[in-house]
C-alpha cells in the first residue's frame, strides 16, 4: 500500500487508460476519479467498454496504457498482489456465481475463512449480520436454487461485503432479474450508498442512476463522452435519448430527487463539478423505507418501490 495516500485523494483514480482486444480498442483514453464514499454510475451503449473498465479496476484484465490507482496503489504494476487488491475492491456481476451446493450463509462465509483465514465463529457472526443487512435473515440455510434471482444477487452482494472492501463495483447487477426482484437489489445498493460505501455502478437503470449517484459518466466507443452530476447528465430529452438508453421516469421520482438534490451544493473538483450533498443529507433525502420513495427502473416507467 502506498503510504502517502490519504482519504482526501481519490480512492480510485483512472488516468488515460487504453485497452485493446487484438485490433479492437475497447478503452480509448479513459480518466475518472472516485472519492471515498462517492457513488458513480457508468452508463453507455452496449459494447462501449463499461464492463471492461470495471474489470480493469480490479485487475481482472490488464491495460495497455495509462494508470489505475486504488488507494494510491497502482493496480497494473507487475508486482501488485491481485488478491490483496480484490479484497479492497469487491465486484458483483450480472450472474451471481454462487456455489450451488453451499447455503447462503456458507457462500458468504467462504472467502473470509479460506482467503482471509479468519476464525469461523467470527466469520459466521458477521455473515449473519450481512445477510440481515441485505434483508435475507431467515434464508441463511437456503441453497441458491431455493432463492429468487434477486435473493441470490443479494447473497452475492453480502458475499462481497464479507471481505470488508473499501469500494464496490457493480456490473449491471439487476440486468437479468425480473422487475419484482430488481427493486430488492436496488434498495440494497441504495442502502449501501447511504451507509457511505464507495460504489461504481454500471447500470442501464437511468432512474436509479439519477437517484443514487453523485456523478454520472457516459461512455461510448471507449471514451467518456459526457460526465457530471446526474441532474446535468440525465436529461430525458437529451443524453438518455441521444444514447438510446432505457429510461423509466415517473415525474414524482424525478422531481423528488431534483428537489432533494437542490439542497446539496456543487463545487469544482479539478476539471469537473461534483455534487457535495452530505451522506446524511442523502439519507434524509432518500429514506431507506421503500414505501416512501418512488424509484423507477427499466423501460416501463412504473415506480417499483412505491408499489411495495
Ligand atoms: N475478453 C474479450 N475478448 C475480446 N473482446 C472483448 C472481450 N471482452 C470484451 N470485448 C469486446 O470489448 C468491447 C466492450 O465490451 P464490454 O463488455 O466492456 O462492453 P459493455 O459496455 O459492458 O457492453 P454491455 O452494455 O453490452 O455489457 C466489445 O466490443 C466486446 O466485444
Ligand atoms: Mg457490460
Amino acid at each position: 500500500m502506498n503510504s502517502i495516500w490519504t482519504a482526501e485523494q481519490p480512492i480510485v483514480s483512472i488516468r488515460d487508460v487504453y485497452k485493446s482486444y487484438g485490433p479492437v480498442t475497447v478503452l480509448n483514453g479513459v480518466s475518472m476519479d472516485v472519492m471515498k464514499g462517492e457513488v458513480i454510475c457508468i452508463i453507455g451503449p452496449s459494447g462501449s467498454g463499461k464492463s471492461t473498465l470495471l474489470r480493469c479496476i480490479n485487475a481482472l484484465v490488464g491495460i495497455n496504457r495509462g494508470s489505475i490507482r486504488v488507494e494510491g496503489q497502482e493496480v497494473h504494476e507487475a508486482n501488485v498482489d491481485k488478491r490483496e487488491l480484490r479484497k479492497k475492491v469487491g465486484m458483483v456481476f450480472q450472474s451471481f456465481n454462487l456455489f450451488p451446493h453451499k447455503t447462503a450463509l456458507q457462500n458468504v462465509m467462504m472467502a473470509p475463512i479460506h482467503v482471509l483465514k479468519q476464525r469461523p465463529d467470527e466469520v459466521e457472526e458477521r455473515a449473519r449480520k450481512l445477510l440481515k443487512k441485505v434483508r435475507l435473515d431467515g434464508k441463511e440455510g437456503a441453497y441458491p436454487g431455493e432463492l429468487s434471482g434477486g435473493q441470490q444477487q443479494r447473497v452475492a452482494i453480502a458475499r462481497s461485503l464479507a471481505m470488508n472492501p473499501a469500494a464496490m463495483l457493480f456490473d449491471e447487477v439487476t440486468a437479468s432479474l425480473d422487475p419484482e426482484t430488481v427493486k430488492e437489489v436496488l434498495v440494497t445498493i441504495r442502502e449501501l450508498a447511504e451507509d457511505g460505501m464507495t460504489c461504481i455502478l454500471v447500470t442501464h437503470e437511468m432512474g436509479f442512476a439519477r437517484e443514487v449517484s453523485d456523478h454520472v459518466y457516459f461512455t461510448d466507443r471507449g471514451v467518456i463522452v459526457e460526465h457530471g452530476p446526474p441532474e446535468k447528465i440525465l436529461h430525458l430529452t437529451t443524453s438518455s435519448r441521444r444514447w438510446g438508453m432505457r429510461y423509466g421516469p415517473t415525474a414524482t421520482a424525478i422531481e423528488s430527487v431534483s428537489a432533494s438534490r437542490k439542497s446539496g451544493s456543487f463545487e469544482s473538483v479539478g476539471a469537473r463539478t461534483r455534487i457535495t450533498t452530505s451522506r446524511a443529507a442523502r439519507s434524509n433525502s432518500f429514506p431507506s423505507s421503500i414505501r416512501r420513495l418512488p424509484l423507477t427502473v427499466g423501460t416501463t416507467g412504473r415506480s417499483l418501490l412505491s408499489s411495495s
Side-chain angles (χ1 to χ4, degrees), residues 175-193:
S176 63
L177 303 179
D178 66 70
E180 285 312 307
T181 56
V182 165
K183 65 180 178 182
E184 306 162 350
V185 174
L186 295 184
V187 166
T188 297
I189 296 172
R190 184 173 67 194
E191 287 176 349
L192 276 182

Side-chain angles (χ1 to χ4, degrees), residues 261-273:
R261 285 281 181 181
K262 277 176 192 137
S263 62
S265 59
F266 293 84
E267 68 176 15
S268 261
V269 179
R272 75 178 214 206
T273 303

Side-chain angles (χ1 to χ4, degrees), residues 98-112:
L98 298 176
F99 290 103
H101 57 291
K102 301 274 183 195
T103 64
L105 186 66
Q106 289 167 338
N107 265 283
V108 176
M109 290 175 62
M110 278 182 75

Side-chain angles (χ1 to χ4, degrees), residues 23-148:
V24 181
T25 301
V26 177
L27 300 176
N28 204 353
V30 170
S31 297
M32 169 184 303
D33 280 340
V34 184
M35 305 302 291
K36 192 170 164 52
E38 268 192 324
V39 179
I40 300 298
C41 281
I42 304 171
I43 287 168
S46 182
S48 60
K50 306 179 297 296
S51 297
T52 302
L53 181 60
L54 291 193
R55 294 166 77 83
C56 289
I57 293 173
N58 75 346
L60 284 172
V61 296
I63 61 176
N64 298 103
R65 218 171 94 194
S67 154
I68 299 180
R69 289 176 177 267
V70 173
E71 292 187 339
Q73 168 74 58
E74 177 59 55
V75 167
H76 292 279
E77 261 169 17
N79 60 354
V80 79
D81 184 340
K82 294 199 171 127
R83 264 163 67 132
E84 283 299 315
L85 170 72
R86 289 181 201 132
K87 282 186 216 162
K88 267 198 299 239
V89 185
M91 185 157 177
V92 183
F93 301 87
Q94 183 177 331
S95 52
F96 331 118
N97 302 325
L98 298 176
F99 290 103
H101 57 291
K102 301 274 183 195
T103 64
L105 186 66
Q106 289 167 338
N107 265 283
V108 176
M109 290 175 62
M110 278 182 75
I113 290 175
H114 296 292
V115 180
L116 301 183
K117 309 287 180 204
Q118 293 174 346
R119 278 180 42 186
D121 55 334
E122 288 171 4
V123 171
E124 179 172 341
E125 193 184 336
R126 186 166 149 71
R128 288 184 184 278
K129 281 187 187 152
L130 285 170
L131 284 172
K132 192 163 183 206
K133 186 179 176 66
V134 299
R135 300 169 194 256
L136 284 176
D137 35 333
K139 295 289 186 186
E140 294 84 354
Y143 289 89
E146 299 168 334
L147 298 171
S148 72

